[in-house]
Amino acid sequence: MQAQLIALDWGTTSLRAYKLAVGGQVLEQRSLSSGIMQLPSVPRMIAGQRCADGFELAFDEACGDWLDAQPGLAVIACGMVGSAQGWSEATYRDTPANVASLGTALNTVRSLRGVDVHIVPGVIERSRLPNVMRGEETQVLGALQGLPADAGGPLLIGLPGSHSKWVEVADGCIVHFDTFMTGELFAVLSEHSILGRTQQRGAPFDSEAFDRGVRVALSCEGENGPLSTLFSARTLGLTGELSPAGQTDYLSGLLIGHELVALANAQRRRRDSADLPSIMLIGNAQLCARYSRALERCGFARASLAEHATERGLWHLAEAAGLLGRTPAFN
Amino acid sequence: MQAQLIALDWGTTSLRAYKLAVGGQVLEQRSLSSGIMQLPSVPRMIAGQRCADGFELAFDEACGDWLDAQPGLAVIACGMVGSAQGWSEATYRDTPANVASLGTALNTVRSLRGVDVHIVPGVIERSRLPNVMRGEETQVLGALQGLPADAGGPLLIGLPGSHSKWVEVADGCIVHFDTFMTGELFAVLSEHSILGRTQQRGAPFDSEAFDRGVRVALSCEGENGPLSTLFSARTLGLTGELSPAGQTDYLSGLLIGHELVALANAQRRRRDSADLPSIMLIGNAQLCARYSRALERCGFARASLAEHATERGLWHLAEAAGLLGRTPAFN
């Protein structure tokens, strides 16, 4: 089948490439470690020229052969590739943002082989504490495309990760979002703080330790917040109540629990209602499973999981940008 | 004047030595970098024997000449030297703990030169989330000795640091305490997270940025807790609202603010009263100044500062242990 679009999800540490056919059907996909912070550096020939530019090298590795076979293919990319440290900065668009407003604001960089790479801008919410995202906006818009048309009721989309995002949507628009640095905090504490010294890594998931961490975040001791409860990951070890193998998952549950307790309180305040919205999660399956587990323990209904959100989002943004010519919609 | 006691405050990264005379008067003091995690390692002769033990080497550096001059001097030490990673483990004592209960529970290690080093045990509170301290108990007991006998009203003693302690005392006893990992979190985030990448270090104290951080912790956005507000140290920089030079102190104010907001709430709950207790701070002068500033902005009265808490505490513990013979009290 003839391809219609090359779609790139180009983040800090990885680059995923999709070759998409009419309707957004995935013909082929690849995953490379050439994120913008770890680009290739060995020079080689591209389009008849010796090239040492990391972005060009990574781009060529990801989809050079696809472009050789079909030189006219459109290319779209989302993620940190559009940041100030990326290939070409794509200025943030303000909330509310939807497929139309982002699709008509793509930033274009001309590659060495003469192909234009269209970069999706990130989204900024200029609230008192501003919030930004790059890449997640594409996933959210893709997940919305996958929803049945009659899906009603308030929906909150969660994207767990180093900087977890919680995104409120209305009428197909990203209207508000929050960022929690939970994943990065977990990583720096495990690698560089006193809590990491007694952690035994690499053990299988200890659901009991994880749930215990969530319970502490929900408890009256948890009201003092993570700055206070964190030390228990050490002291429960000192008193023999938590094994070294359980400490990692306890810390994970504790931090995710604090994130979700704060999220639930914020949602109740924003909606002025005790009811919590439905949750859809996008991201790494193992991490989403942890969040699903903790969400239920924090009073949320069972979360649904979005599939193919990135490639769906990129397809629809390319369509809105007029990169595809006349093609039927993804679904 | 004849010395009566060698008092050591032996922590993770430093070792402070005091030569004390009758009444606890400081005759001489020294500060070494030989904390238990960075002990000297070059072997040399001690008491006629070749010695490679880091604790012996550090001990000899700190006060070998004092002991040569006065071989019968008593020696007392507090801090991480009594931890499982220390010279000899001094088992934690439970709350409530006072000078009498700790002074009669010293752990003794015989040094190579035949002198006994008496190590003060730490204190543990076996609450649902256990809390531990080593070294701070001595400072708290020393600070209490410095109080006028008629000092009335509830008092909360704060020891800001990597693991800040907030200690409630009653009738000369440590009855309850909390630990906040604020200082260590600030350090790991500044050194190892994305927030550190845009920080410009070494600038003079930016009180405006610090106060802004405290205000955010106190604001309705602050109710989402530090996991959520942390990202603003980056986004306020991205939007040009916070200079690289201000980011370090903004993060400091934000974290200290979250600590003190949680502390104020916890104190009001515990005392079932809107009134907050008086605060006495012990520790590094610059850090105490930051905490004083933030405490006032968080609704606490102006904090007082304890002086000479460590050496006072060690003196009184040595006295309670019967190490001093018959000597008049410190004050």
Side-chain angles (χ1 to χ4, degrees):
Chain A
M1 189 184 279
Q2 189 79 341
Q4 298 258 328
L5 179 70
I6 292 173
L8 306 176
D9 172 17
W10 201 336
T12 304
T13 57
S14 72
L15 165 54
R16 287 191 189 80
Y18 302 87
K19 188 163 74 170
L20 303 179
V22 62
Q25 190 186 337
V26 178
L27 299 178
E28 200 176 335
Q29 69 181 74
R30 292 169 182 170
S31 187
L32 294 83
S33 61
S34 312
I36 68 159
M37 291 301 174
Q38 45 196 43
L39 293 168
S41 57
V42 180
R44 58 167 198 280
M45 298 298 287
I46 297 178
Q49 296 175 55
R50 187 173 183 281
C51 176
D53 180 288
F55 289 103
E56 293 279 2
L57 293 169
F59 178 61
D60 194 63
E61 272 180 24
C63 58
D65 58 338
W66 294 345
L67 286 165
D68 286 342
Q70 235 182 295
L73 265 182
V75 180
I76 190 169
C78 69
M80 291 303 282
V81 67
S83 69
Q85 296 77 40
W87 199 350
S88 175
E89 188 168 2
T91 312
Y92 292 113
R93 299 290 295 186
D94 284 79
T95 50
N98 62 11
V99 167
S101 70
L102 292 175
T104 52
L106 304 186
N107 173 52
T108 301
V109 58
R110 172 68 53 97
S111 70
L112 200 55
R113 58 164 70 230
V115 172
D116 282 340
V117 179
H118 299 87
I119 302 179
V120 180
V123 173
I124 186 166
E125 181 178 0
R126 297 186 194 274
S127 40
R128 201 148 61 135
L129 298 186
N131 255 307
V132 294
M133 56 167 74
R134 273 198 193 278
E136 294 94 342
E137 73 296 326
T138 300
Q139 297 180 289
V140 168
L141 296 174
L144 290 181
Q145 298 293 336
L147 283 183
D150 60 349
L155 175 68
L156 187 64
I157 300 183
L159 302 105
S162 290
H163 302 164
S164 292
K165 306 287 180 190
W166 290 96
V167 185
E168 289 178 24
V169 290
D171 301 324
C173 281
I174 293 169
V175 292
H176 168 75
F177 61 102
D178 286 305
T179 304
F180 289 80
M181 280 186 59
T182 313
E184 183 163 10
L185 201 64
F186 174 76
V188 296
L189 286 171
S190 296
E191 286 163 35
H192 302 289
S193 85
I194 195 171
L195 303 184
R197 280 195 220 147
T198 49
Q199 281 179 1
Q200 181 189 313
R201 317 282 173 85
F205 178 58
D206 183 338
S207 60
E208 205 173 306
F210 179 84
D211 289 348
R212 184 175 185 176
V214 176
R215 277 201 309 278
V216 167
L218 281 162
S219 71
C220 59
E221 286 85 2
E223 288 178 32
N224 282 354
L227 290 175
S228 166
T229 58
L230 276 177
F231 198 57
S232 66
R234 173 167 173 79
T235 58
L236 288 170
L238 281 173
T239 55
E241 292 173 64
L242 189 63
S243 71
Q247 287 177 30
T248 307
D249 289 323
Y250 173 78
L251 181 62
S252 166
L254 186 64
L255 289 175
I256 292 174
H258 276 298
E259 175 181 347
L260 298 182
V261 168
L263 181 74
N265 290 337
Q267 284 293 316
R268 290 190 177 108
R269 279 197 305 272
R270 277 179 70 78
R271 295 168 197 268
D272 197 16
S273 159
D275 293 338
L276 290 169
S278 299
I279 300 282
M280 179 187 279
L281 293 177
I282 303 175
N284 171 286
Q286 283 186 314
L287 190 56
C288 284
R290 283 177 187 245
Y291 271 78
S292 284
R293 192 174 176 97
L295 279 161
E296 286 188 59
R297 281 152 184 77
C298 293
F300 289 86
R302 181 177 289 273
S304 61
L305 298 178
E307 309 270 348
H308 311 297
T310 309
E311 54 270 38
R312 275 179 202 260
L314 285 165
W315 175 265
H316 283 281
L317 285 164
E319 194 177 41
L323 301 181
L324 302 178
R326 294 173 173 278
T327 52
F330 195 109
N331 56 19
Chain B
M1 189 183 279
Q2 189 78 342
Q4 297 258 328
L5 179 70
I6 292 173
L8 306 177
D9 172 17
W10 201 337
T12 304
T13 58
S14 72
L15 165 54
R16 288 191 188 81
Y18 302 88
K19 187 163 74 169
L20 303 179
V22 63
Q25 190 186 339
V26 178
L27 299 179
E28 200 176 335
Q29 71 181 73
R30 292 169 182 170
S31 188
L32 293 83
S33 61
S34 313
I36 69 160
M37 291 300 174
Q38 44 196 44
L39 293 169
S41 57
V42 180
R44 59 166 198 280
M45 298 299 287
I46 297 178
Q49 295 177 55
R50 188 172 183 281
C51 176
D53 180 290
F55 288 105
E56 292 279 2
L57 292 169
F59 178 61
D60 194 62
E61 273 180 23
C63 57
D65 57 339
W66 295 345
L67 286 166
D68 286 341
Q70 234 181 295
L73 264 183
V75 181
I76 190 168
C78 70
M80 292 302 283
V81 67
S83 70
Q85 295 77 39
W87 199 350
S88 174
E89 188 169 1
T91 312
Y92 292 113
R93 300 290 295 186
D94 285 78
T95 50
N98 62 11
V99 168
S101 70
L102 292 175
T104 52
L106 304 185
N107 172 52
T108 300
V109 58
R110 172 69 51 98
S111 71
L112 200 56
R113 57 164 69 230
V115 172
D116 282 341
V117 178
H118 299 87
I119 302 179
V120 180
V123 173
I124 186 166
E125 181 177 0
R126 297 187 194 273
S127 40
R128 200 148 60 135
L129 298 186
N131 255 307
V132 295
M133 55 167 74
R134 273 197 194 278
E136 294 95 342
E137 73 295 326
T138 300
Q139 297 180 289
V140 168
L141 296 174
L144 290 180
Q145 298 293 336
L147 282 183
D150 60 349
L155 174 69
L156 187 63
I157 299 184
L159 302 104
S162 291
H163 303 163
S164 292
K165 305 289 180 190
W166 290 97
V167 185
E168 290 179 24
V169 289
D171 301 324
C173 281
I174 294 169
V175 291
H176 168 75
F177 61 102
D178 285 306
T179 304
F180 289 80
M181 279 186 61
T182 312
E184 183 163 11
L185 201 64
F186 174 77
V188 297
L189 286 170
S190 296
E191 286 163 36
H192 303 289
S193 86
I194 195 171
L195 303 184
R197 280 195 220 147
T198 48
Q199 281 179 0
Q200 181 189 312
R201 316 283 173 85
F205 178 58
D206 183 337
S207 59
E208 206 173 305
F210 180 84
D211 290 348
R212 184 175 184 175
V214 176
R215 276 200 309 277
V216 168
L218 281 162
S219 72
C220 59
E221 287 84 4
E223 289 178 32
N224 282 354
L227 289 175
S228 167
T229 58
L230 276 177
F231 199 57
S232 66
R234 173 168 173 79
T235 58
L236 288 170
L238 281 173
T239 55
E241 293 173 65
L242 188 64
S243 72
Q247 286 177 30
T248 307
D249 288 323
Y250 174 79
L251 181 62
S252 166
L254 186 65
L255 290 175
I256 292 174
H258 276 298
E259 175 181 347
L260 298 183
V261 168
L263 180 75
N265 290 338
Q267 285 292 316
R268 290 190 177 109
R269 280 197 305 272
R270 277 178 70 80
R271 294 168 197 269
D272 197 17
S273 158
D275 293 337
L276 290 169
S278 300
I279 301 283
M280 179 187 277
L281 294 178
I282 303 174
N284 172 284
Q286 283 186 314
L287 190 56
C288 284
R290 283 177 187 247
Y291 271 78
S292 284
R293 191 173 176 97
L295 278 162
E296 285 189 59
R297 281 153 185 75
C298 292
F300 289 86
R302 180 178 289 272
S304 61
L305 298 179
E307 308 269 348
H308 311 298
T310 310
E311 54 269 38
R312 276 179 202 259
L314 285 166
W315 176 265
H316 283 281
L317 286 163
E319 194 178 41
L323 301 181
L324 302 178
R326 292 173 175 280
T327 52
F330 195 109
N331 56 19

